[in-house]
Amino acid sequence: MVSPLDQMPNMPSQMDVGSGIDTNKMVQDLVQAERAPTEQRLGRREEELQEKLEALGQMRGVIGELQEAVQGLGDPGAYSGIDAESSNTSVAGVSASEEARPGQYDVEVEQLARTQRIATASGVFEDSADPVGTGRLMITDGQGNEQAVTIDEESATLLGIRDAINAQAEGVRASVVDDGAGPRLALATEQTGQTNAITQIRAEQDPEAGEGDLSALQYNVADPQTGEPAGAFQEIRPASDAVVTIDGMRVTRPENRIEGAIEGATISLQDEGRSRISIEQQTGLAEENIQRLVDSFNQVRAQLNQLSDYDPETEKAGPLQGDHTLRNLLSQLSRSLNEPVEALDGAPISSLGDLGVRTNRDGTLELDGERLQQMVGEHSELVTRMMTDPESGVMSRLEGVLDNALGRDSVIDMRTEGVERRLDGIADDRERLDRRMERREEQLRSQFSRMDSRVAELNQTSEFLEQRLAAMNSRD
Protein backbone atom coordinates (compact mmCIF):
# COMPACT_ATOMS: atom_id res chain seq x y z
CA MET A 1 0.00 0.00 0.00
CA VAL A 2 1.26 3.44 -0.90
CA SER A 3 1.37 5.82 2.05
CA PRO A 4 0.27 9.46 1.76
CA LEU A 5 3.85 10.62 2.31
CA ASP A 6 5.07 8.56 -0.60
CA GLN A 7 2.63 10.43 -2.80
CA MET A 8 4.24 13.86 -1.92
CA PRO A 9 5.93 15.68 -4.86
CA ASN A 10 9.73 16.28 -5.10
CA MET A 11 10.96 19.18 -2.95
CA PRO A 12 12.28 22.42 -4.65
CA SER A 13 16.01 23.11 -4.54
CA GLN A 14 16.26 26.84 -5.40
CA MET A 15 16.14 29.79 -3.01
CA ASP A 16 12.90 31.78 -2.64
CA VAL A 17 10.83 28.97 -4.14
CA GLY A 18 9.50 27.69 -0.91
CA SER A 19 9.34 30.73 1.37
CA GLY A 20 8.46 33.41 -1.14
CA ILE A 21 10.90 35.71 0.67
CA ASP A 22 13.47 37.72 -1.39
CA THR A 23 16.35 36.01 0.36
CA ASN A 24 18.88 37.29 -2.23
CA LYS A 25 18.17 40.88 -1.20
CA MET A 26 18.13 39.86 2.44
CA VAL A 27 21.61 38.34 2.11
CA GLN A 28 22.93 41.44 0.35
CA ASP A 29 21.45 43.71 3.04
CA LEU A 30 22.92 41.62 5.84
CA VAL A 31 26.37 41.56 4.20
CA GLN A 32 26.24 45.31 3.58
CA ALA A 33 25.17 45.98 7.17
CA GLU A 34 28.05 43.88 8.45
CA ARG A 35 30.52 45.52 6.03
CA ALA A 36 29.44 49.14 6.63
CA PRO A 37 31.13 49.87 10.01
CA THR A 38 34.53 48.57 8.86
CA GLU A 39 34.15 50.23 5.45
CA GLN A 40 33.33 53.57 7.05
CA ARG A 41 36.21 53.27 9.49
CA LEU A 42 38.66 52.51 6.66
CA GLY A 43 37.22 55.36 4.58
CA ARG A 44 37.62 57.88 7.40
CA ARG A 45 41.16 56.70 8.06
CA GLU A 46 42.03 56.84 4.38
CA GLU A 47 40.67 60.37 4.09
CA GLU A 48 42.69 61.46 7.13
CA LEU A 49 45.87 59.94 5.73
CA GLN A 50 45.29 61.49 2.28
CA GLU A 51 44.87 64.91 3.91
CA LYS A 52 48.02 64.34 5.93
CA LEU A 53 49.92 63.26 2.82
CA GLU A 54 48.84 66.41 0.97
CA ALA A 55 49.76 68.52 4.00
CA LEU A 56 53.24 66.98 4.12
CA GLY A 57 53.65 67.87 0.45
CA GLN A 58 52.57 71.44 1.25
CA MET A 59 55.02 71.54 4.16
CA ARG A 60 57.85 70.45 1.89
CA GLY A 61 56.89 73.09 -0.66
CA VAL A 62 56.70 75.82 1.99
CA ILE A 63 60.12 74.91 3.41
CA GLY A 64 61.49 74.94 -0.15
CA GLU A 65 60.11 78.45 -0.59
CA LEU A 66 61.92 79.57 2.56
CA GLN A 67 65.16 78.00 1.36
CA GLU A 68 64.86 79.86 -1.93
CA ALA A 69 63.83 83.14 -0.28
CA VAL A 70 66.90 83.28 2.02
CA GLN A 71 69.37 82.07 -0.60
CA GLY A 72 72.51 84.19 -0.52
CA LEU A 73 71.98 85.52 3.00
CA GLY A 74 74.88 83.39 4.23
CA ASP A 75 77.27 85.48 2.11
CA PRO A 76 79.03 88.32 3.98
CA GLY A 77 78.40 90.51 0.93
CA ALA A 78 74.69 90.47 1.81
CA TYR A 79 75.33 92.61 4.90
CA SER A 80 78.28 94.83 4.05
CA GLY A 81 79.41 95.41 0.51
CA ILE A 82 81.24 97.65 -1.88
CA ASP A 83 79.68 99.26 -4.93
CA ALA A 84 82.12 99.85 -7.81
CA GLU A 85 81.21 101.74 -10.99
CA SER A 86 82.97 102.97 -14.09
CA SER A 87 81.87 106.13 -15.88
CA ASN A 88 82.90 104.64 -19.24
CA THR A 89 82.47 100.88 -19.36
CA SER A 90 83.49 100.78 -23.03
CA VAL A 91 87.00 101.75 -21.84
CA ALA A 92 87.20 100.00 -18.45
CA GLY A 93 84.95 97.91 -16.27
CA VAL A 94 85.49 97.45 -12.54
CA SER A 95 84.62 95.02 -9.75
CA ALA A 96 85.56 95.28 -6.09
CA SER A 97 85.74 93.08 -3.01
CA GLU A 98 85.00 94.08 0.57
CA GLU A 99 88.69 94.94 1.02
CA ALA A 100 88.42 97.82 -1.46
CA ARG A 101 88.68 101.29 -0.01
CA PRO A 102 86.07 103.86 -1.04
CA GLY A 103 87.36 106.54 -3.35
CA GLN A 104 87.37 108.14 -6.82
CA TYR A 105 90.04 107.21 -9.37
CA ASP A 106 90.89 108.68 -12.78
CA VAL A 107 91.89 105.95 -15.23
CA GLU A 108 93.49 106.47 -18.65
CA VAL A 109 94.08 103.40 -20.82
CA GLU A 110 97.06 104.24 -23.02
CA GLN A 111 97.59 100.79 -24.53
CA LEU A 112 95.86 97.42 -24.41
CA ALA A 113 97.72 94.16 -23.98
CA ARG A 114 97.86 92.21 -27.24
CA THR A 115 99.06 88.90 -28.53
CA GLN A 116 101.99 88.50 -30.91
CA ARG A 117 101.81 87.24 -34.49
CA ILE A 118 104.74 86.17 -36.69
CA ALA A 119 104.74 84.64 -40.16
CA THR A 120 107.18 83.46 -42.81
CA ALA A 121 107.94 86.02 -45.51
CA SER A 122 105.79 86.11 -48.62
CA GLY A 123 107.06 84.02 -51.54
CA VAL A 124 109.50 81.89 -49.55
CA PHE A 125 107.51 78.68 -50.08
CA GLU A 126 105.84 77.62 -53.31
CA ASP A 127 103.61 74.82 -52.05
CA SER A 128 102.43 73.87 -48.56
CA ALA A 129 103.15 70.22 -49.40
CA ASP A 130 106.79 70.79 -50.37
CA PRO A 131 109.38 69.22 -47.99
CA VAL A 132 110.86 71.62 -45.42
CA GLY A 133 113.14 69.31 -43.49
CA THR A 134 113.20 67.24 -40.31
CA GLY A 135 114.61 67.87 -36.84
CA ARG A 136 113.42 70.08 -34.00
CA LEU A 137 112.12 73.63 -33.65
CA MET A 138 113.09 75.18 -30.29
CA ILE A 139 110.57 77.90 -29.33
CA THR A 140 111.55 80.39 -26.58
CA ASP A 141 109.18 82.90 -24.91
CA GLY A 142 109.81 86.22 -23.17
CA GLN A 143 110.37 84.51 -19.82
CA GLY A 144 113.14 82.33 -21.22
CA ASN A 145 111.03 79.17 -21.28
CA GLU A 146 111.96 76.85 -24.15
CA GLN A 147 109.88 74.05 -25.66
CA ALA A 148 110.74 71.67 -28.48
CA VAL A 149 108.60 70.65 -31.44
CA THR A 150 109.77 67.50 -33.21
CA ILE A 151 109.44 67.42 -36.99
CA ASP A 152 109.65 63.92 -38.47
CA GLU A 153 109.33 62.75 -42.08
CA GLU A 154 105.52 62.62 -41.85
CA SER A 155 105.33 66.24 -40.70
CA ALA A 156 108.15 67.71 -42.81
CA THR A 157 105.86 70.05 -44.82
CA LEU A 158 104.32 73.40 -43.88
CA LEU A 159 100.98 71.71 -43.23
CA GLY A 160 102.65 68.95 -41.21
CA ILE A 161 104.71 71.46 -39.21
CA ARG A 162 101.53 73.45 -38.50
CA ASP A 163 99.90 70.33 -37.06
CA ALA A 164 103.04 69.37 -35.10
CA ILE A 165 103.24 72.83 -33.47
CA ASN A 166 99.55 72.78 -32.54
CA ALA A 167 99.92 69.30 -31.04
CA GLN A 168 103.20 69.80 -29.15
CA ALA A 169 103.60 73.49 -28.28
CA GLU A 170 101.75 75.28 -25.46
CA GLY A 171 100.58 78.87 -25.76
CA VAL A 172 101.09 79.01 -29.53
CA ARG A 173 98.67 78.40 -32.41
CA ALA A 174 99.92 77.77 -35.96
CA SER A 175 98.14 78.20 -39.28
CA VAL A 176 99.01 78.21 -42.99
CA VAL A 177 97.80 81.17 -45.06
CA ASP A 178 98.18 81.69 -48.80
CA ASP A 179 98.54 85.41 -49.61
CA GLY A 180 98.61 84.86 -53.39
CA ALA A 181 102.38 84.63 -53.60
CA GLY A 182 102.48 81.25 -51.89
CA PRO A 183 101.81 79.66 -48.53
CA ARG A 184 102.99 81.30 -45.31
CA LEU A 185 103.31 79.62 -41.89
CA ALA A 186 101.89 81.94 -39.21
CA LEU A 187 102.23 81.63 -35.42
CA ALA A 188 100.17 83.55 -32.87
CA THR A 189 100.56 83.55 -29.10
CA GLU A 190 97.46 82.61 -27.11
CA GLN A 191 98.20 84.99 -24.23
CA THR A 192 98.78 88.72 -24.33
CA GLY A 193 101.87 90.51 -23.07
CA GLN A 194 105.55 90.67 -23.88
CA THR A 195 106.46 87.92 -21.41
CA ASN A 196 104.34 85.49 -23.44
CA ALA A 197 105.73 86.58 -26.81
CA ILE A 198 107.94 84.34 -28.95
CA THR A 199 111.45 85.75 -28.67
CA GLN A 200 113.24 83.10 -30.72
CA ILE A 201 112.70 80.02 -32.87
CA ARG A 202 115.83 77.98 -33.39
CA ALA A 203 116.04 75.06 -35.82
CA GLU A 204 118.01 71.91 -35.08
CA GLN A 205 118.31 70.21 -38.46
CA ASP A 206 118.37 66.41 -38.56
CA PRO A 207 121.85 65.45 -39.92
CA GLU A 208 120.29 62.67 -41.94
CA ALA A 209 117.42 64.80 -43.23
CA GLY A 210 116.47 64.46 -46.86
CA GLU A 211 115.08 67.35 -48.83
CA GLY A 212 114.44 70.77 -47.35
CA ASP A 213 116.15 73.09 -44.92
CA LEU A 214 114.46 73.45 -41.50
CA SER A 215 116.56 76.54 -40.74
CA ALA A 216 114.20 78.49 -43.00
CA LEU A 217 111.76 78.45 -40.09
CA GLN A 218 114.04 80.23 -37.63
CA TYR A 219 113.15 83.51 -35.94
CA ASN A 220 115.41 86.07 -34.29
CA VAL A 221 118.48 83.94 -34.91
CA ALA A 222 121.61 85.51 -36.40
CA ASP A 223 123.57 83.91 -39.21
CA PRO A 224 126.91 82.87 -37.66
CA GLN A 225 128.85 84.06 -40.72
CA THR A 226 127.16 87.31 -41.66
CA GLY A 227 125.40 88.23 -38.42
CA GLU A 228 122.26 88.90 -40.43
CA PRO A 229 118.89 87.45 -39.30
CA ALA A 230 118.57 83.83 -40.39
CA GLY A 231 115.20 82.27 -41.24
CA ALA A 232 112.04 83.39 -42.97
CA PHE A 233 109.92 84.36 -39.94
CA GLN A 234 108.97 88.02 -39.57
CA GLU A 235 107.01 89.76 -36.83
CA ILE A 236 103.65 90.86 -38.19
CA ARG A 237 102.21 92.21 -34.93
CA PRO A 238 104.30 92.63 -31.78
CA ALA A 239 103.04 91.60 -28.40
CA SER A 240 102.29 94.44 -26.01
CA ASP A 241 101.59 94.97 -22.35
CA ALA A 242 98.64 96.95 -21.08
CA VAL A 243 99.64 100.47 -20.06
CA VAL A 244 97.30 102.38 -17.75
CA THR A 245 97.64 105.60 -15.79
CA ILE A 246 95.67 105.60 -12.52
CA ASP A 247 95.61 108.94 -10.72
CA GLY A 248 98.91 109.84 -12.41
CA MET A 249 100.56 106.50 -11.60
CA ARG A 250 101.69 104.48 -14.61
CA VAL A 251 100.82 100.77 -14.39
CA THR A 252 101.75 97.96 -16.81
CA ARG A 253 100.40 94.42 -16.94
CA PRO A 254 100.78 91.58 -19.45
CA GLU A 255 97.00 91.21 -19.66
CA ASN A 256 93.99 93.49 -19.90
CA ARG A 257 93.12 92.90 -16.28
CA ILE A 258 94.59 95.21 -13.66
CA GLU A 259 94.65 93.82 -10.14
CA GLY A 260 96.35 95.34 -7.10
CA ALA A 261 96.71 98.85 -8.48
CA ILE A 262 93.61 99.82 -6.51
CA GLU A 263 93.32 97.79 -3.33
CA GLY A 264 90.56 95.21 -3.55
CA ALA A 265 89.52 96.27 -7.07
CA THR A 266 89.93 94.64 -10.47
CA ILE A 267 89.86 96.79 -13.62
CA SER A 268 88.97 95.11 -16.92
CA LEU A 269 90.36 97.04 -19.88
CA GLN A 270 88.22 97.24 -23.01
CA ASP A 271 89.68 100.04 -25.14
CA GLU A 272 91.98 103.02 -25.07
CA GLY A 273 90.48 106.10 -23.49
CA ARG A 274 89.51 107.65 -20.15
CA SER A 275 87.15 106.64 -17.38
CA ARG A 276 86.45 107.54 -13.77
CA ILE A 277 86.06 104.73 -11.29
CA SER A 278 83.99 105.18 -8.13
CA ILE A 279 84.19 102.80 -5.17
CA GLU A 280 81.65 103.36 -2.40
CA GLN A 281 80.55 101.56 0.73
CA GLN A 282 77.01 100.23 0.31
CA THR A 283 74.60 101.22 3.06
CA GLY A 284 71.38 99.58 4.22
CA LEU A 285 72.30 96.08 3.09
CA ALA A 286 72.20 94.52 6.55
CA GLU A 287 68.88 96.15 7.44
CA GLU A 288 67.33 95.18 4.10
CA ASN A 289 68.41 91.54 4.20
CA ILE A 290 67.63 90.93 7.87
CA GLN A 291 64.15 92.33 7.20
CA ARG A 292 63.98 89.99 4.20
CA LEU A 293 64.85 87.05 6.46
CA VAL A 294 62.17 88.01 9.00
CA ASP A 295 59.48 88.54 6.34
CA SER A 296 60.29 85.26 4.58
CA PHE A 297 60.22 83.31 7.83
CA ASN A 298 56.94 84.90 8.91
CA GLN A 299 55.27 84.03 5.63
CA VAL A 300 56.35 80.42 5.91
CA ARG A 301 55.51 80.20 9.62
CA ALA A 302 51.97 81.45 8.95
CA GLN A 303 51.47 78.76 6.30
CA LEU A 304 52.81 76.04 8.58
CA ASN A 305 50.58 77.24 11.41
CA GLN A 306 47.55 76.72 9.15
CA LEU A 307 48.51 73.09 8.75
CA SER A 308 48.58 72.50 12.51
CA ASP A 309 46.14 74.98 14.11
CA TYR A 310 42.52 74.39 15.16
CA ASP A 311 39.92 76.53 13.34
CA PRO A 312 37.14 77.42 15.82
CA GLU A 313 34.83 78.60 13.02
CA THR A 314 34.86 75.31 11.14
CA GLU A 315 35.60 73.33 14.33
CA LYS A 316 38.20 71.45 12.39
CA ALA A 317 41.85 70.84 13.21
CA GLY A 318 44.61 71.19 10.65
CA PRO A 319 45.77 67.94 9.03
CA LEU A 320 49.11 68.13 10.84
CA GLN A 321 47.86 69.15 14.27
CA GLY A 322 50.07 67.41 16.84
CA ASP A 323 52.29 65.98 14.10
CA HIS A 324 55.74 65.43 15.61
CA THR A 325 57.57 66.08 12.32
CA LEU A 326 56.08 69.55 11.94
CA ARG A 327 56.43 70.29 15.64
CA ASN A 328 60.12 69.35 15.65
CA LEU A 329 60.78 71.31 12.45
CA LEU A 330 59.19 74.46 13.84
CA SER A 331 61.24 74.08 17.00
CA GLN A 332 64.48 73.68 15.04
CA LEU A 333 63.71 76.70 12.84
CA SER A 334 62.99 78.83 15.89
CA ARG A 335 66.21 77.78 17.67
CA SER A 336 68.34 78.36 14.58
CA LEU A 337 67.14 81.96 14.39
CA ASN A 338 66.91 82.91 18.05
CA GLU A 339 69.76 81.21 19.88
CA PRO A 340 73.01 83.18 20.45
CA VAL A 341 75.95 82.61 18.11
CA GLU A 342 78.64 80.74 20.02
CA ALA A 343 81.47 82.43 18.11
CA LEU A 344 80.32 85.81 19.52
CA ASP A 345 80.02 84.77 23.14
CA GLY A 346 80.74 87.86 25.26
CA ALA A 347 80.45 90.26 22.31
CA PRO A 348 78.08 93.29 22.44
CA ILE A 349 75.74 91.45 20.07
CA SER A 350 75.40 87.71 19.58
CA SER A 351 71.78 87.03 18.54
CA LEU A 352 68.94 88.41 16.46
CA GLY A 353 67.33 89.43 19.71
CA ASP A 354 70.15 91.91 20.24
CA LEU A 355 69.20 93.48 16.89
CA GLY A 356 65.57 93.98 17.90
CA VAL A 357 64.02 90.72 16.72
CA ARG A 358 61.30 89.33 18.99
CA THR A 359 59.18 86.16 18.77
CA ASN A 360 55.37 86.47 18.88
CA ARG A 361 53.03 83.95 20.52
CA ASP A 362 52.23 82.35 17.17
CA GLY A 363 55.93 81.80 16.44
CA THR A 364 56.29 84.64 13.92
CA LEU A 365 58.99 87.28 14.32
CA GLU A 366 58.73 91.00 14.92
CA LEU A 367 61.57 93.40 14.05
CA ASP A 368 62.34 96.72 15.72
CA GLY A 369 63.71 98.70 12.75
CA GLU A 370 65.20 101.50 14.84
CA ARG A 371 67.05 99.07 17.09
CA LEU A 372 68.37 97.19 14.06
CA GLN A 373 69.63 100.37 12.40
CA GLN A 374 71.36 101.44 15.62
CA MET A 375 73.13 98.10 16.11
CA VAL A 376 74.24 97.92 12.47
CA GLY A 377 75.63 101.43 12.73
CA GLU A 378 77.57 100.61 15.90
CA HIS A 379 78.61 97.00 15.18
CA SER A 380 78.42 96.41 11.42
CA GLU A 381 81.28 93.88 11.39
CA LEU A 382 79.76 91.91 14.29
CA VAL A 383 76.38 91.87 12.55
CA THR A 384 77.96 90.40 9.43
CA ARG A 385 79.87 87.82 11.44
CA MET A 386 76.81 86.90 13.50
CA MET A 387 74.79 86.21 10.36
CA THR A 388 77.49 84.47 8.31
CA ASP A 389 79.88 82.69 10.68
CA PRO A 390 80.42 79.31 8.95
CA GLU A 391 80.27 77.29 12.17
CA SER A 392 77.55 78.81 14.34
CA GLY A 393 76.20 81.80 12.42
CA VAL A 394 72.45 82.34 12.11
CA MET A 395 72.35 81.50 8.41
CA SER A 396 74.65 78.49 8.80
CA ARG A 397 72.27 77.02 11.38
CA LEU A 398 69.16 77.86 9.37
CA GLU A 399 70.60 76.38 6.18
CA GLY A 400 71.47 73.22 8.10
CA VAL A 401 67.88 72.83 9.30
CA LEU A 402 66.50 73.44 5.79
CA ASP A 403 68.94 70.96 4.23
CA ASN A 404 67.96 68.28 6.75
CA ALA A 405 64.29 68.94 6.03
CA LEU A 406 64.60 68.82 2.24
CA GLY A 407 67.67 66.74 1.47
CA ARG A 408 67.88 63.11 0.53
CA ASP A 409 66.32 60.84 3.20
CA SER A 410 65.00 63.97 4.93
CA VAL A 411 62.63 63.87 7.88
CA ILE A 412 59.77 65.01 5.63
CA ASP A 413 60.52 62.26 3.11
CA MET A 414 60.62 59.60 5.81
CA ARG A 415 57.36 60.90 7.30
CA THR A 416 55.75 60.87 3.85
CA GLU A 417 56.89 57.31 3.20
CA GLY A 418 55.39 56.27 6.54
CA VAL A 419 51.99 57.74 5.62
CA GLU A 420 52.14 56.10 2.19
CA ARG A 421 52.81 52.72 3.82
CA ARG A 422 49.76 53.19 6.04
CA LEU A 423 47.66 54.01 2.99
CA ASP A 424 48.91 50.83 1.37
CA GLY A 425 47.88 49.02 4.56
CA ILE A 426 44.32 50.35 4.18
CA ALA A 427 44.20 48.94 0.65
CA ASP A 428 45.28 45.59 2.08
CA ASP A 429 42.60 45.85 4.78
CA ARG A 430 39.97 46.44 2.09
CA GLU A 431 41.09 43.33 0.21
CA ARG A 432 40.85 41.28 3.41
CA LEU A 433 37.40 42.77 4.11
CA ASP A 434 36.25 41.82 0.59
CA ARG A 435 37.41 38.25 1.06
CA ARG A 436 35.75 37.98 4.48
CA MET A 437 32.47 39.37 3.14
CA GLU A 438 32.56 36.95 0.23
CA ARG A 439 32.85 34.07 2.66
CA ARG A 440 30.10 35.57 4.82
CA GLU A 441 27.81 35.95 1.81
CA GLU A 442 28.38 32.32 0.83
CA GLN A 443 27.62 31.27 4.40
CA LEU A 444 24.38 33.28 4.51
CA ARG A 445 23.25 32.06 1.11
CA SER A 446 23.82 28.48 2.23
CA GLN A 447 21.82 29.03 5.43
CA PHE A 448 18.94 30.75 3.64
CA SER A 449 18.94 28.09 0.95
CA ARG A 450 18.52 25.36 3.56
CA MET A 451 15.84 27.39 5.30
CA ASP A 452 13.98 27.99 2.05
CA SER A 453 14.13 24.29 1.18
CA ARG A 454 12.78 23.37 4.59
CA VAL A 455 9.94 25.89 4.28
CA ALA A 456 9.11 24.49 0.85
CA GLU A 457 9.00 20.99 2.29
CA LEU A 458 6.67 22.10 5.07
CA ASN A 459 4.45 24.02 2.67
CA GLN A 460 4.08 21.03 0.38
CA THR A 461 3.42 18.73 3.32
CA SER A 462 0.73 21.13 4.52
CA GLU A 463 -0.88 21.27 1.09
CA PHE A 464 -0.83 17.48 0.80
CA LEU A 465 -2.46 17.02 4.18
CA GLU A 466 -5.11 19.61 3.39
CA GLN A 467 -5.94 17.78 0.16
CA ARG A 468 -6.22 14.44 1.93
CA LEU A 469 -8.40 15.86 4.67
CA ALA A 470 -10.62 17.48 2.09
CA ALA A 471 -10.98 14.21 0.20
CA MET A 472 -11.86 12.30 3.40
CA ASN A 473 -14.46 14.91 4.35
CA SER A 474 -16.03 14.71 0.92
CA ARG A 475 -16.50 10.91 1.21
CA ASP A 476 -18.22 11.36 4.51
Side-chain angles (χ1 to χ4, degrees):
M1 179 178 179
V2 180
S3 69
L5 291 177
D6 293 334
Q7 299 178 26
M8 292 177 61
N10 294 330
M11 298 297 103
S13 62
Q14 296 182 346
M15 288 180 64
D16 305 339
V17 174
S19 65
I21 301 172
D22 188 352
T23 53
N24 186 58
K25 183 177 185 306
M26 184 177 293
V27 168
Q28 292 177 351
D29 290 344
L30 288 171
V31 170
Q32 183 59 34
E34 191 170 338
R35 169 193 286 271
T38 303
E39 184 72 35
Q40 292 172 2
R41 177 178 59 80
L42 292 176
R44 288 193 300 270
R45 189 58 181 152
E46 183 178 42
E47 183 178 354
E48 292 173 358
L49 290 174
Q50 285 288 3
E51 289 182 355
K52 184 162 292 189
L53 190 63
E54 293 176 5
L56 287 169
Q58 293 176 29
M59 180 170 70
R60 183 180 182 84
V62 166
I63 296 302
E65 290 175 6
L66 178 59
Q67 187 179 54
E68 184 176 352
V70 301
Q71 189 172 11
L73 296 188
D75 185 348
Y79 304 93
S80 59
I82 294 292
D83 188 21
E85 294 183 356
S86 170
S87 65
N88 190 350
T89 55
S90 63
V91 171
V94 63
S95 61
S97 66
E98 292 186 21
E99 289 74 26
R101 295 186 178 277
Q104 305 287 325
Y105 304 89
D106 290 321
V107 175
E108 181 181 0
V109 181
E110 300 178 17
Q111 176 179 283
L112 292 176
R114 291 184 171 85
T115 59
Q116 179 196 37
R117 186 175 179 85
I118 64 175
T120 56
S122 180
V124 173
F125 300 98
E126 294 182 359
D127 194 300
S128 58
D130 290 343
V132 178
T134 60
R136 294 197 307 172
L137 293 177
M138 309 300 294
I139 304 175
T140 306
D141 64 19
Q143 301 177 66
N145 300 318
E146 187 177 64
Q147 53 184 329
V149 176
T150 301
I151 311 299
D152 56 22
E153 293 183 358
E154 294 182 358
S155 58
T157 64
L158 283 187
L159 292 176
I161 293 172
R162 174 201 63 189
D163 295 340
I165 292 174
N166 288 337
Q168 301 177 42
E170 295 182 0
V172 178
R173 299 301 298 172
S175 60
V176 174
V177 180
D178 194 326
D179 64 357
R184 302 174 67 181
L185 179 64
L187 303 182
T189 57
E190 294 182 329
Q191 294 179 307
T192 59
Q194 295 178 1
T195 57
N196 297 309
I198 299 172
T199 58
Q200 186 183 73
I201 299 178
R202 179 169 50 84
E204 294 182 353
Q205 182 81 16
D206 188 342
E208 299 180 0
E211 297 181 72
D213 184 4
L214 197 61
S215 64
L217 295 182
Q218 295 190 122
Y219 171 67
N220 208 15
V221 175
D223 187 303
Q225 296 180 353
T226 65
E228 297 294 324
F233 269 117
Q234 300 173 343
E235 189 171 58
I236 305 301
R237 183 184 66 207
S240 62
D241 290 338
V243 180
V244 182
T245 300
I246 303 175
D247 280 354
M249 179 181 66
R250 186 179 177 86
V251 178
T252 62
R253 293 288 189 277
E255 57 184 356
N256 293 312
R257 181 183 175 89
I258 309 298
E259 295 181 338
I262 300 176
E263 183 179 0
T266 299
I267 304 173
S268 301
L269 307 182
Q270 308 297 327
D271 199 359
E272 296 176 359
R274 292 178 177 272
S275 180
R276 185 169 180 80
I277 289 177
S278 300
I279 299 177
E280 298 178 352
Q281 183 78 40
Q282 290 180 309
T283 58
L285 278 180
E287 296 93 323
E288 176 184 343
N289 285 311
I290 291 175
Q291 182 69 62
R292 170 183 157 195
L293 172 63
V294 170
D295 291 344
S296 299
F297 176 80
N298 285 345
Q299 182 177 359
V300 167
R301 180 65 196 239
Q303 292 176 281
L304 295 178
N305 286 346
Q306 290 179 354
L307 297 176
S308 60
D309 286 350
Y310 177 81
D311 189 343
E313 295 183 2
T314 62
E315 297 183 349
K316 185 177 180 181
L320 294 181
Q321 186 180 51
D323 185 88
H324 66 275
T325 300
L326 177 57
R327 188 170 59 249
N328 290 340
L329 180 59
L330 291 176
S331 177
Q332 292 172 18
L333 289 172
S334 179
R335 290 199 304 270
S336 69
L337 293 175
N338 295 318
E339 288 185 350
V341 174
E342 295 179 4
L344 297 181
D345 185 27
I349 60 171
S350 61
S351 70
L352 285 177
D354 295 329
L355 303 183
V357 178
R358 297 290 181 267
T359 302
N360 298 319
R361 292 186 61 182
D362 62 356
T364 58
L365 302 177
E366 185 175 347
L367 176 61
D368 183 341
E370 293 183 2
R371 173 71 176 178
L372 173 62
Q373 188 173 10
Q374 177 186 351
M375 291 297 99
V376 170
E378 295 177 1
H379 309 287
S380 61
E381 292 184 2
L382 287 178
V383 170
T384 300
R385 187 179 173 193
M386 182 189 76
M387 298 301 297
T388 64
D389 184 84
E391 298 298 329
S392 60
V394 172
M395 289 309 304
S396 176
R397 296 185 311 214
L398 177 60
E399 289 168 356
V401 172
L402 297 177
D403 288 343
N404 287 336
L406 299 175
R408 187 176 180 181
D409 297 329
S410 66
V411 291
I412 296 179
D413 285 348
M414 290 188 289
R415 185 77 176 95
T416 300
E417 290 172 1
V419 174
E420 289 174 342
R421 284 195 298 271
R422 293 165 72 182
L423 279 171
D424 292 340
I426 289 179
D428 295 338
D429 289 342
R430 279 205 170 94
E431 291 181 2
R432 286 191 290 270
L433 176 63
D434 289 340
R435 291 193 295 269
R436 183 163 61 85
M437 289 297 99
E438 288 175 2
R439 293 192 298 271
R440 181 58 175 156
E441 183 175 355
E442 292 175 0
Q443 181 185 19
L444 290 172
R445 286 188 182 279
S446 177
Q447 291 175 349
F448 275 94
S449 178
R450 291 194 301 272
M451 177 203 74
D452 202 67
S453 296
R454 182 59 177 161
V455 170
E457 291 175 2
L458 293 174
N459 286 338
Q460 291 194 14
T461 301
S462 175
E463 291 175 1
F464 176 76
L465 292 174
E466 288 177 357
Q467 292 173 2
R468 296 295 293 178
L469 289 172
M472 293 171 62
N473 290 334
S474 64
R475 285 196 297 268
D476 294 339

